[in-house]
Amino acid sequence: FCSMIKVAMISENEIGRVIFSNSAEILAQIRAGGQKLREAAKAGERQLAEVLESVLRDLEEKNFSGVSPDAMSHKAGVAPLREHDDRHTVACIMKELVDHLSQHWSSQRSSQQQRQLRLAVSRGDAAAALEYLQLGVN
């Protein structure tokens, strides 16, 4: 989801620089989700909120497994995390993120574009830097 947000906020020419997976299917999902968010943001706040909320609903179809050391270990007096606990934790974090982005999409997008401009300048990528400057990023 976070990669989809980033894809939605940056120049379409930069997408290949910011998403990574060894699965073509996952890359396609990230690109499609980013495009959906980008279009919703252009359509207005209500549409963006609806798309963000749909992501929360999609969470119900996901599987979670404990891969962190804390989730995998059995320390004295501490029960291992179960899928339900992981799902609840992720759902709470996602809900906070959705609530925040629904209210602050524009400012977060500007911040992300400024970061991409700085990175383009740092790597000496004149074409990417020019694209962000033409978008009005400073």
Side-chain angles (χ1 to χ4, degrees), residues 42-60:
K42 287 179 183 176
E45 191 173 313
R46 185 180 58 79
Q47 291 87 342
L48 178 61
E50 288 173 5
V51 171
L52 288 168
E53 288 293 330
S54 76
V55 172
L56 283 179
R57 290 190 298 275
D58 290 345
L59 183 64
E60 293 301 317

Side-chain angles (χ1 to χ4, degrees), residues 53-89:
E53 288 293 330
S54 76
V55 172
L56 283 179
R57 290 190 298 275
D58 290 345
L59 183 64
E60 293 301 317
E61 298 175 20
K62 304 295 180 189
N63 293 316
F64 296 88
S65 61
V67 293
S68 71
D70 291 336
M72 297 301 286
S73 68
H74 286 84
K75 296 182 181 178
V78 178
L81 292 175
R82 294 182 302 261
E83 181 177 334
H84 178 272
D85 298 326
D86 290 346
R87 181 180 305 280
H88 177 74
T89 299

Side-chain angles (χ1 to χ4, degrees), residues 32 66-67 91 127 134-135:
V67 293
Q134 288 174 336
L135 289 172

Side-chain angles (χ1 to χ4, degrees), residues 10-14 17 112-138:
I10 65 169
S11 163
E12 292 183 43
N13 294 330
E14 293 285 294
R17 295 185 195 276
Q112 188 57 238
Q113 288 180 341
Q114 287 173 342
R115 176 170 163 56
Q116 291 303 120
L117 173 60
R118 285 193 303 272
L119 290 171
V121 169
S122 293
R123 69 177 177 266
D125 187 344
L130 180 60
E131 183 175 1
Y132 282 107
L133 290 171
Q134 288 174 336
L135 289 172
V137 178
N138 55 30

Side-chain angles (χ1 to χ4, degrees), residues 5-19:
I5 293 167
K6 191 161 194 157
V7 164
M9 291 183 173
I10 65 169
S11 163
E12 292 183 43
N13 294 330
E14 293 285 294
I15 293 172
R17 295 185 195 276
V18 300
I19 60 173

